């Protein structure tokens, strides 16, 4: 009997030892399911404001249409009904932009709902990955000469190239992702593609004169306006100095790619 008890003692000691520690760090898939902190999430959205100004400042000069700010495009389509566009079929470019932007809003919003919600790390990562790919494809189409990217264009003003609708469509579609992301993150004060309502909300804020740390939404609106303006200024100067459209688009693609990667590292909601 004593021998049997002695044989059991080692296993008893092993069972009574400290439990094995498991790493509390979530797996990569677990991290993708985390919700991003809205305060930190507003920073990439502010960078998107600069990208919006850069894109529209470049595309309007080259092709006579916006890809983000659809109020101007609506006016261009309306003027086209009376033949008052600055370029032949200018209304078609603007109508294409409005249509693709609308489809983009529908697609990105349904995509967000499909994979779990707009604040999830995976939602933001894959949304901006799609946006980055759209910008890179548009820049490649122009870089390879499929669409004329010279600025100012040396083509006959009456010559219409409907292939220009391809980069316009891609850039308009991806721009929709930005505003859907801002809604998903609940940072609606930074819509990234709209200036009119942003300015209205900024100046009508009853707490506009509060100290910096006491009115975060006002601060974001003011920064968003300045960055959009600076982006448009840069877009104009880059296209003027390089004589081409694609350098600005490659710049925007780099910004979007950086934002895409940043979603993997931003802190989750506490």
């Amino acid at each position: 009997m004593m021998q049997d008890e002695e044989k059991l003692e080692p296993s008893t000691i092993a069972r009574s030892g400290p439990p094995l520690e498991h790493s509390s760090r979530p797996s990569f898939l677990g991290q993708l399911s985390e919700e991003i902190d809205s305060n930190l999430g507003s920073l990439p959205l502010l960078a998107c404001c600069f990208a919006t100004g850069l894109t529209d400042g470049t595309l309007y000069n080259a092709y006579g249409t916006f890809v983000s700010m659809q109020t101007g495009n609506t006016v261009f389509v309306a003027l086209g009904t009376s033949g008052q566009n600055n370029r032949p079929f200018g209304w078609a470019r603007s109508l294409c932009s409005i249509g693709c932007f609308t489809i983009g809003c529908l697609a990105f919003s349904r995509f967000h709902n499909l994979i779990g919600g707009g604040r999830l790390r995976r939602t933001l990562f894959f949304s901006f990955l799609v946006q980055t790919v759209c910008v890179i494809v548009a820049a490649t189409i122009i870089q390879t000469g499929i669409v004329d990217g010279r600025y100012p264009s040396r083509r006959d003003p009456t010559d219409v190239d409907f292939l220009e609708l391809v980069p316009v469509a891609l850039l308009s579609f991806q721009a929709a992702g930005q505003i859907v992301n801002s809604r998903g993150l609940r940072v609606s004060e930074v819509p990234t593609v709209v200036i009119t309502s942003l300015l209205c909300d900024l100046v009508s804020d009853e707490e506009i004169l509060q100290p910096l740390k006491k009115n975060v939404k006002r601060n974001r609106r003011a920064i968003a306006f300045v960055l959009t303006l600076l982006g448009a200024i840069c877009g104009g100067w880059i296209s003027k100095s390089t004589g081409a459209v694609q350098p600005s688009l490659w710049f925007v693609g780099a910004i979007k790619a950086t934002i895409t990667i940043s979603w993997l590292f931003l802190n989750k909601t506490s």
Side-chain angles (χ1 to χ4, degrees):
M1 180 67 69
M2 291 295 294
Q3 290 178 349
D4 292 339
E5 289 179 356
E6 289 176 358
K7 290 179 180 179
L8 291 173
E9 282 181 358
S11 61
T12 304
I13 293 172
R15 286 197 300 269
S16 63
L20 293 175
E21 293 185 0
H22 296 280
S23 175
S24 60
R25 185 174 182 178
S27 65
F28 178 69
L29 291 177
Q31 288 179 319
L32 290 178
S33 298
E34 295 171 347
E35 288 192 345
I36 296 294
D37 181 82
S38 294
N39 289 323
L40 291 175
S42 66
L43 299 178
L45 294 179
L46 290 171
C48 287
C49 294
F50 180 84
T52 292
L54 186 60
T55 308
D56 272 346
T58 302
L59 267 289
Y60 176 75
N61 272 340
Y63 305 128
T65 190
F66 299 113
V67 294
S68 301
M69 301 182 187
Q70 302 303 329
T71 302
N73 283 337
T74 303
V75 174
F76 294 155
V77 171
L79 290 174
T81 62
S82 56
Q84 297 187 67
N85 288 147
N86 293 332
R87 295 167 181 261
F89 292 97
W91 60 268
R93 298 181 183 88
S94 297
L95 186 61
C96 173
S97 179
I98 294 171
C100 291
F101 183 87
T102 304
I103 293 171
C105 288
L106 177 64
F108 280 104
S109 62
R110 295 297 181 271
F111 173 71
H112 287 193
N113 293 333
L114 181 65
I115 67 173
R119 295 183 68 184
L120 296 183
R121 193 185 303 277
R122 64 170 177 261
T123 304
L124 293 160
F125 174 79
F126 286 114
S127 175
F128 271 85
L129 181 62
V130 171
Q131 294 172 44
T132 303
V133 170
C134 287
V135 174
I136 291 175
V137 171
T140 302
I141 289 172
I142 298 173
Q143 182 76 52
T144 55
I146 297 173
V147 172
D148 185 17
R150 294 173 296 178
Y151 177 80
S153 176
R154 297 175 180 82
R155 295 203 323 266
D156 187 332
T158 60
D159 182 19
V160 179
D161 183 7
F162 285 104
L163 283 176
E164 292 175 356
L165 296 179
V166 177
V168 168
L170 288 167
L171 295 171
S172 300
F173 180 85
Q174 65 84 31
Q178 296 180 179
I179 189 169
V180 174
N181 289 135
S182 74
R183 297 295 191 266
L185 275 169
R186 300 171 192 169
V187 190
S188 56
E189 63 270 18
V190 186
T192 75
V193 297
V194 180
I195 289 296
T196 308
S197 60
L198 184 149
L199 284 176
C200 174
D201 293 339
L202 174 63
V203 300
S204 61
D205 188 348
E206 294 181 357
E207 299 181 353
I208 190 173
L209 298 179
Q210 288 293 320
L212 283 176
K213 294 184 179 180
K214 292 188 176 182
N215 194 337
V216 175
K217 289 187 176 182
R218 174 211 53 199
N219 299 343
R220 290 172 182 163
R221 291 183 184 115
I223 294 171
F225 172 75
V226 172
L227 287 175
T228 305
L229 177 63
L230 288 176
I233 291 172
C234 290
W237 279 104
I238 291 173
S239 57
K240 182 178 180 179
S241 60
T242 62
V245 173
Q246 60 271 24
S248 292
L249 294 185
W250 288 119
F251 190 6
V252 172
I255 294 172
K256 292 278 182 147
T258 303
I259 294 174
T260 301
I261 296 171
S262 74
W263 295 120
L264 298 176
F265 301 98
L266 287 179
N267 292 338
K268 63 179 180 179
T269 303
S270 58

